[in-house]
Every structure is written in structure tokens, then in C-alpha cells.
Amino acid sequence: RHVLVGLVWAVWHFPLILSTPYTDVPLGLFLPLFVLGIVVASMVYGQIRIISGRTLWTAVLLHGTGNTVIFGILDSQILTFHNKILAFISPESIPVMLLWVVLGWYLLRRN
């Protein structure tokens, strides 16, 4: 079920990605990585939602907090990244995906 939610969540972002200068990464590379990153993140958000008593507000707060912190750092240029796939703080970057995988695996095993 988390995978289906992740796919819907990823596709939900497509109009924004396709209609704005959302990324400098070529879309042929970016979109599959973005979808994979969102699906992996949805596993974590879904498990945390279950642990918190199945309330949707947990995922809403996580998403809002994550966006606020990530875009705050990126927009203020506190950190700059030259490789947006290997070293970046968004769901489509490989380090963040690996972090989500480890956290998701832990949460699935814990439950």
C-alpha cells in the first residue's frame, strides 16, 4: 500500500516539475529518481503514520517540516551542491534515498 501511495504522491508533483524550473537535472534522469525517492520516502512516512496511531497529521507535519528545512537551506544557499544526484538533500538524491531505505527497513522490522 505504501508503494501505491508513493506513486500517486510522485505523480501529484509532475505538473509542478514539468511546468517550472524545478531542477537542472535532465528530466529523463530526474523523473525516475524522483519517483523512486518518493516511493521510498512513502514507506517511511507510511510506517510512521501507522506507529502514530494511523493519523494523517504525522505525515503532513513531516512533509511540511521537511520542505521547510530543505528549501530553507537551499534557498538561503547555506549549503551549495554541484552534483544534485550524488550530493543533495532532496528525495531524488542517492544519499537521501539510502537514508530513507535504512530508516524504512528499520521501521518495517520494528513493527
Side-chain angles (χ1 to χ4, degrees):
R1 178 177 173 133
H2 297 321
V3 172
L4 179 61
V5 170
L7 290 171
V8 170
W9 185 17
V11 171
W12 170 265
H13 287 82
F14 280 10
L16 173 68
I17 293 167
L18 297 173
S19 66
T20 64
Y22 191 87
T23 183
D24 298 334
V25 177
L27 289 178
L29 177 62
F30 178 81
L31 288 177
L33 287 174
F34 181 81
V35 170
L36 182 62
I38 296 298
V39 167
V40 171
S42 75
M43 302 292 285
V44 174
Y45 280 43
Q47 283 305 112
I48 291 174
R49 184 187 67 82
I50 290 169
I51 291 167
S52 69
R54 299 191 181 273
T55 176
L56 186 61
W57 287 109
T58 307
V60 170
L61 290 172
L62 283 171
H63 189 307
T65 303
N67 280 355
T68 301
V69 170
I70 288 169
F71 289 114
I73 290 171
L74 295 177
D75 289 345
S76 68
Q77 296 182 351
I78 292 171
L79 297 173
T80 57
F81 299 92
H82 299 290
N83 187 321
K84 299 201 175 176
I85 299 300
L86 296 177
F88 203 53
I89 54 172
S90 61
E92 66 276 1
S93 72
I94 292 171
V96 173
M97 267 192 263
L98 292 174
L99 177 65
W100 284 126
V101 166
V102 169
L103 187 56
W105 178 81
Y106 168 76
L107 291 171
L108 285 169
R109 296 223 5 143
R110 180 178 178 265
N111 210 6

